[in-house]
Amino acid sequence: MQIIKLIKIWNLIIFSGVLLLQSSCLKRDELSLNKDISLFAFIISDNDLDDHTDYIENDFVRGLKGCPVGTEMFLYVDRQFENPTLIHLVLLESGQVAIKRTWNYEEQCSTSPSVFRNILFTMIDNSSGRQYGLFYWSHGNGWLSGLYPDQTNNSSTRSLGADGAYSMNLGDFASVISNTKIPLFTVLDACFMGSVEVAYELRNATGYLISSPAETYGVCFPYHTMIPELVNGTKQSMIKSLDNYLEFCYSDYYQDGQISGMASLTDCSQMDSLASAFKSIINSSISLHNDHDSIQSFDGPFSHLYYDFGQYAAAIARNAKQFEAFNEQLKKTVIYKVSTPYIYSSSAFPENMLKVYHFSGLSSYIPGTNSYYDLLYSLTDWYNFCYGTRE
């Protein structure tokens, strides 16, 4: 997630409008909880995103205030210069938000799989909803591997989250979730997480994925408008949440004249079918890396790791029926997508903006782009299924 200057950001913060009450001061019948769905949120800002933490935390609370009475949220926050905390919040009939319980932790690496697992289990064990929605806000790097203290490999690129210098591999993130209780939806609010490789890794770890194939601003998804829709737990409400996101993007919330936003809603239960359809194209294609310059990239303007997946498939397809089947499956998999005409890229010019002329909803790496990244890419589940056993 890219840090952007915060122009008048404090004008957006409304802590005075959010009243938090300790549950010890409340009557027990005021804490009747929503049994349908719970909300689990992770803010991992023990890094250079720390300046955004107050706004993001407050925005989660604003979002909770737009939910049905009794909706609960577990909010885990790990920021610079403070020990991590986990807060159990509940929306009351009065419209106030109650702190039902708080867990205080010693300093720990929140991107370690074991720490993530412990926190997630605490949320699950103390929640009342029959299902839950998961939010994860931090840095991200798509399918690239990460490094954390109890890991022995020498990879220095990050995948998801950043606790100081340490991040979590996407495979470990998916493994932790898939061995607990699977969320109805997962919102990965971090750069480049809207890739086909990420969605495939999460195919057994979440029902739906909301993420962006591009770089995201520090203040990215507007939780105050998205959460009241997402809590309904339907496809239509998830679609509406992305419409609300796009509308927020056009509000010029940084007041710097730059309008940027890109996100998609992916049905992860369709990822095995999408992988099979794409593998059919791979097996019959002549070349796996066509003219890269003709394919939309979401990082730029030079060496790319994130190309438009649909356009890449079209470029290498040699069988019309195979591509038609692939395209139909892609429509079933990517339920909805939104984008502004230009998106932010820290390395693009002019003015750090890239024009969007093609957007299928997911990005993809193209093997053969870079020998170092080719090696890392060969470790992904997506590569091993689609490319590793090419017929």
Side-chain angles (χ1 to χ4, degrees), residues 144-145 154-157 365 370-377:
L144 288 173
S145 56
N154 59 1
S155 171
S156 60
T157 53
Y365 179 70
N370 178 290
S371 59
Y372 171 71
Y373 292 116
D374 284 351
L375 177 60
L376 293 179
Y377 195 63

Side-chain angles (χ1 to χ4, degrees), residues 37 68 131 184 227-234 237:
I37 190 169
Q131 56 188 351
L184 172 64
I227 287 178
E229 293 295 338
L230 291 172
V231 75
N232 293 320
T234 67
S237 64

